[in-house]
Amino acid sequence: MVATHLAAVSDGHVIGTLRILLHGRTAKIGRMAVSASSRTEGIGRELMESAATTASSRGAEEIILGAQLTAYGFYKRLGYMEEGAVFDDGGTPHVMMRKKLQL
Ligand SMILES: CC(C)(COP(=O)(O)OP(=O)(O)OC[C@H]1O[C@@H](n2cnc3c(N)ncnc32)[C@H](O)[C@@H]1OP(=O)(O)O)[C@@H](O)C(=O)NCCC(=O)NCCS
């Protein structure tokens, strides 16, 4: 399986990252993180928008992700909708979220 990693870089330092896995027409985003000192500056949004563009260009019609509950509001703002019950992943509560991509 091919993984695509996006990175936000500032002054030669990686300050944000995520990973895209493509499963047929569904892309799965994971490993989303922005460095603590660079949060709430729009970097996470830009990374997610770039991921949607990248996934769409590779044939994806939707994106799914497992959101930590603490980041639920971030994804919700970007148009992701929760589905299913809250589940535990490594001791952290998560919920699956999905967004259809504009074709
Ligand atoms: C969640 C995270 C990736 C957000 O990145 P960020 O660069 O701070 O987000 P942005 O500045 O692009 O925020 C975009 C919008 O989401 C909001 N937002 C950001 N983090 C949020 C959160 N945890 N909960 C609710 N809303 C949030 C912002 O206020 C902003 O709102 P606006 O559109 O009204 O301006 C970042 O806080 C992070 O790395 N957290 C720790 C790791 C983590 O939780 N990763 C996700 C695992 S599923």
Side-chain angles (χ1 to χ4, degrees), residues 59-102:
E61 296 175 352
E62 63 176 3
I63 293 176
I64 60 168
L65 54 86
Q68 292 184 17
L69 289 193
T70 50
Y72 166 85
F74 167 69
Y75 296 116
K76 189 84 175 177
R77 271 180 166 78
L78 296 174
Y80 288 78
M81 300 298 293
E82 68 273 22
E83 56 184 42
V86 173
F87 63 95
D88 177 273
D89 185 358
T92 305
H94 285 70
V95 66
M96 292 307 298
M97 301 186 82
R98 185 183 301 267
K99 182 179 179 179
K100 298 283 180 200
L101 295 173
Q102 308 283 348

